[in-house]
Amino acid sequence: MWTDMCLALRIAREAAEVADRAFAEGVAEVRHKADGSEVTAADLAVEDLVRQRLAELLPDDGVHGEERPERRGTSGRRWLVDPISGTADFVHGRPSYSVDLALEGALAVSVMPSLGITIAAGRGMGCRVFRGRHEEVARVSTQDSLDHARVCLHGKRKPVLGRGVVVDGSLSVLRLVTGGVDAVIAAGAGLDEFDLACLPVLVEEAGGRVTAAGDDVVLASNGPLHDALLGLVARPGVEPGTPGS
């Protein structure tokens, strides 16, 4: 697993340099896909680089990216690539976008090149945050009071919680795994396996929990608040499950 983690970090960081250069230069062209989401030339360049490196180093592994057709492998392993997670932020000059790479169900790397931050986690390895040369172990908060819970909301169909404190949603995953917020709820059409590729491994290895609470609703929390929050966001008749299952 350590070999895979080192490789994933190297590839994701190299790809993130491509995204960072494009971000610094400004986005020249944006087009909209069939689902209405934005895509840029940088998305394609980043994914192509990741695919090339994986093909060179792990030719038997499958690769599924957001912008290109899936390449099926023979090893039983599959990499998921979200070349620029937060394309809207990228397009509008906000540095909180990331380059995400995950070995499905096993490890996850999220690089925010314009902020100089990387989050990485592997099953049984814990979660770590790198800020330049500084490395820290990431741990979620221990908040167990729903009334004092700090919650980030994302998506077009934000739930009305009735309890807790809704806070700014920027850098929400980073803040969750480092204890800055207690829960993140994403709701609304458009959530896909690429949006969720890194989330379970990062959050769970930092001590938290992640649950898909019905169609297009995902709850990630510190753990102690999870069941209570799940009761507020889960819709009657929907059986919660694990994202990607």
Side-chain angles (χ1 to χ4, degrees), residues 7 11 47-81 101-104 193-194:
L7 184 148
I11 292 174
E47 182 167 327
D48 287 346
L49 176 59
V50 173
R51 285 174 171 273
Q52 180 182 341
R53 294 292 180 264
L54 289 172
E56 292 168 351
L57 297 168
L58 297 168
D60 296 331
D61 287 2
V63 182
H64 191 25
E66 189 168 28
E67 309 301 341
R68 301 293 193 190
E70 181 173 2
R71 187 193 85 198
R72 298 190 180 278
T74 58
S75 67
R77 308 193 326 163
R78 186 171 76 150
W79 293 85
L80 298 175
V81 187
L101 176 62
L103 178 56
E104 195 168 29
E193 63 183 322
F194 303 107

Side-chain angles (χ1 to χ4, degrees), residues 21 33 58 69-70 114 120 147 157 196 212:
R21 287 195 295 270
K33 296 185 286 189
L58 297 168
E70 181 173 2
S114 298
D147 290 326
R157 187 163 47 83
L196 304 174

Side-chain angles (χ1 to χ4, degrees), residues 44 51 76-77 82 87-88 96 103 111 114 118 131 143 153 214 218 226 232:
L44 301 176
R51 285 174 171 273
R77 308 193 326 163
D82 191 349
T87 304
S96 50
L103 178 56
V111 183
S114 298
T118 298
R131 305 176 194 265
Q143 176 65 256
L153 300 179
V218 175
H226 201 80
L232 296 179

Side-chain angles (χ1 to χ4, degrees), residues 118-203:
T118 298
I119 318 172
R123 293 297 185 191
M125 299 168 60
C127 180
R128 287 171 172 79
V129 176
F130 302 86
R131 305 176 194 265
R133 294 181 178 273
H134 178 70
E135 176 184 346
E136 65 186 83
V137 175
R139 295 298 297 176
V140 295
S141 74
T142 57
Q143 176 65 256
D144 59 2
S145 168
L146 189 57
D147 290 326
H148 296 97
R150 299 155 297 176
V151 183
C152 296
L153 300 179
H154 293 285
K156 298 178 180 178
R157 187 163 47 83
K158 298 180 177 66
V160 178
L161 297 179
R163 300 178 69 182
V165 180
V166 176
V167 299
D168 175 52
S170 61
L171 301 178
S172 56
V173 175
L174 173 65
R175 292 162 67 201
L176 176 61
V177 300
T178 56
V181 299
D182 308 307
V184 177
I185 301 171
L191 292 175
D192 58 28
E193 63 183 322
F194 303 107
D195 297 310
L196 304 174
C198 289
L199 187 67
V201 177
L202 295 178
V203 173

Side-chain angles (χ1 to χ4, degrees), residues 182-242:
D182 308 307
V184 177
I185 301 171
L191 292 175
D192 58 28
E193 63 183 322
F194 303 107
D195 297 310
L196 304 174
C198 289
L199 187 67
V201 177
L202 295 178
V203 173
E204 291 165 7
E205 285 300 313
R209 293 174 60 189
V210 179
T211 299
D215 296 336
D216 296 324
V217 179
V218 175
L219 167 66
S221 85
N222 66 347
L225 294 165
H226 201 80
D227 291 336
L229 284 169
L230 192 58
L232 296 179
V233 301
R235 291 177 293 175
V238 175
E239 183 69 23
T242 300

